Amino acid sequence: MQNTTQTSSDEIDLFELFSTLWKQKLLIIAVTLLSIILAAIYAFTAKEEWTSKAQIMVPKAVQLGSYLEAERRYYRFSGLESDFDVNGALNNSFRLFLLELQSSDNKQKFLKNSAYGQKILANLDDETSKEIAINKLAEKNLSPKPLNKDTKDILEVTFTADTAGDAQSTLQQYLTQANSLAQVKIFENLFERTRERIATLQQLAINTQKDTDQNKANYILTLKQALAAAQTANIMEPVGQTPSANLLLDFTNNSALFMLGTKYLQAQLTAWENNPTIYPAAYYRYLQNIDGLKPILNIKPTGVAFDYLQTPSLPLTKDKPRKALILVAGALVGVILGCLFVLLQQAIRSRRQTN
């Protein structure tokens, strides 16, 4: 019996609740309309946000341009035993590009000088506000992230602006700038390696030339000493079996050279003194490699250090504000606030009557 009475009381309370709300429906409608108006004002005056997206990855060999040609020339004439690693060059180019792309200094300098950045800064007066605005813009945008967990070799770069055109053009310009900076670094590294290798080959050539010249001078001196000894011993012709040319060039038998006689020694001395020096093949190879490396220093940087899987997109829908969603939310908030206000008023009246 008690349960039936309690249920009846609950039904009456629920009925009275709806009855109270219905009686104050105009007030609820008024609050709802006010909330919708405020939401509409925000929805139609809030700053719009449009996001352009690009997907990048390691470049193809053909995209490296003059860098690939320069690297191949370097390995062809450097005289090193290692072979040119195309994949290594591709990954190295992309790595340097990402370093330039992620650099906070590069992002801030670019945004300050970009058309969109200038438009943002035009509304600010003091330098502190400008720095804060640029820093926030740089932190929020232009940072490459893996597209997803399964494709870590594909990165996505985004930029958000207040118009679709600004978002796309700013992202495109920054990727182009990052590529230019990366190309400079790539070629600076290559040029430094090339200059170092040229210096090494030049020193090797100089050392080889000095050694050969010194060996020639030493042999000429040896011939002069042998000639003097032969003249002193009055040996005109070779003593014993006629020697072969190989014996003359055998420095281990220098003490016996006078046995060749003055005629033979004088002929050898005249030939060594009057004929040009013949350097080893390695010497000429060093010079050839130096001439092959020097053109690398005059190559102008061209090419792309990354590849597009998706070029910077022109966003078709804005991120913020979502007008329809804001209006619906405004209406719901208005209804809830209107109902709460009516119920609060009724609760206050009931408490006063009870007292």
Side-chain angles (χ1 to χ4, degrees):
M1 185 67 179
Q2 185 177 356
N3 292 339
T4 303
T5 303
Q6 183 67 38
T7 302
S8 176
S9 175
D10 291 342
E11 290 177 353
I12 293 172
D13 290 343
L14 187 60
F15 176 78
E16 288 181 356
L17 175 63
F18 283 108
S19 176
T20 301
L21 294 176
W22 179 255
K23 288 178 182 179
Q24 298 293 331
K25 60 182 179 294
L26 294 179
L27 178 59
I28 295 173
I29 292 173
V31 174
T32 302
L33 290 176
L34 178 61
S35 179
I36 292 174
I37 291 171
L38 293 176
I41 292 173
Y42 171 76
F44 287 94
T45 59
K47 184 178 178 180
E48 294 184 350
E49 291 187 1
W50 301 76
T51 300
S52 176
K53 300 178 181 180
Q55 296 173 5
I56 58 175
M57 58 189 299
V58 176
K60 299 178 178 65
V62 69
Q63 293 175 293
L64 291 183
S66 59
Y67 174 62
L68 189 64
E69 172 191 350
E71 280 284 11
R72 283 174 172 161
R73 174 175 281 272
Y74 175 82
Y75 278 88
R76 188 181 304 123
F77 291 102
S78 64
L80 301 175
E81 295 182 358
S82 57
D83 296 327
F84 175 51
D85 182 6
V86 177
N87 289 330
L90 294 173
N91 290 322
N92 181 62
S93 300
F94 190 58
R95 180 182 61 82
L96 291 175
F97 168 73
L98 290 180
L99 290 176
E100 297 300 326
L101 192 66
Q102 298 176 89
S103 170
S104 297
D105 290 341
N106 288 346
K107 288 193 285 187
Q108 291 176 14
K109 289 178 183 178
F110 166 77
L111 291 171
K112 286 180 181 178
N113 298 321
S114 67
Y116 182 70
Q118 292 293 319
K119 184 167 63 175
I120 296 296
L121 297 178
N123 300 323
L124 303 174
D125 297 327
D126 60 289
E127 291 299 321
T128 302
S129 299
K130 292 180 179 181
E131 288 294 330
I132 292 174
I134 290 297
N135 288 339
K136 288 183 178 179
L137 198 61
E139 290 175 0
K140 182 180 179 181
N141 297 285
L142 304 175
S143 297
K145 299 178 181 178
L147 185 60
N148 53 60
K149 295 180 179 179
D150 298 329
T151 54
K152 293 183 179 181
D153 55 335
I154 301 176
L155 303 177
E156 185 176 71
V157 189
T158 62
F159 186 80
T160 301
D162 52 13
T163 67
D166 283 339
Q168 183 188 40
S169 62
T170 305
L171 179 57
Q172 178 66 68
Q173 291 166 12
Y174 184 65
L175 289 171
T176 300
Q177 174 183 287
N179 178 70
S180 299
L181 294 174
Q183 289 292 338
V184 171
K185 291 288 180 65
I186 290 169
F187 275 85
E188 282 179 352
N189 293 339
L190 175 60
F191 291 159
E192 181 60 30
R193 284 190 287 124
T194 301
R195 284 190 286 267
E196 182 180 355
R197 190 58 189 165
I198 288 175
T200 299
L201 292 173
Q202 287 174 336
Q203 190 60 50
L204 288 172
I206 290 172
N207 293 342
T208 302
Q209 185 181 37
K210 286 182 177 180
D211 290 344
T212 305
D213 290 342
Q214 187 61 51
N215 289 336
K216 179 179 179 180
N218 291 343
Y219 189 62
I220 289 174
L221 180 60
T222 299
L223 289 176
K224 287 181 178 180
Q225 292 174 348
L227 179 61
Q231 290 173 344
T232 302
N234 197 26
I235 300 175
M236 304 293 294
E237 300 292 339
V239 177
Q241 186 178 359
T242 302
S244 65
N246 288 334
L247 180 58
L248 293 177
L249 298 178
D250 186 359
F251 291 100
T252 61
N253 295 323
N254 289 342
S255 60
L257 286 178
F258 76 95
M259 301 287 290
L260 298 174
T262 56
K263 290 184 179 180
Y264 193 89
L265 291 172
Q266 185 61 57
Q268 283 288 315
L269 181 60
T270 301
W272 276 84
E273 287 181 330
N274 297 330
N275 290 327
T277 304
I278 300 176
Y279 296 102
Y283 171 77
Y284 300 100
R285 186 166 61 251
Y286 296 148
L287 297 181
Q288 181 184 16
N289 288 342
I290 291 171
D291 291 337
L293 290 173
K294 284 182 177 179
I296 294 177
L297 302 176
N298 298 321
I299 294 178
K300 295 182 178 180
T302 61
V304 183
F306 70 101
D307 189 17
Y308 277 121
L309 188 64
Q310 173 187 307
T311 58
S313 61
L314 180 65
L316 301 179
T317 58
K318 58 179 174 289
D319 304 321
K320 297 178 181 179
R322 300 291 179 87
K323 295 178 181 178
L325 183 61
I326 291 174
L327 292 176
V328 172
L332 291 175
V333 170
V335 171
I336 293 171
L337 290 177
C339 292
L340 290 175
F341 182 72
V342 169
L343 294 175
L344 181 61
Q345 278 187 326
Q346 180 63 29
I348 293 173
R349 287 196 207 97
S350 299
R351 181 174 292 275
R352 287 176 178 176
Q353 292 175 358
T354 301
N355 294 337

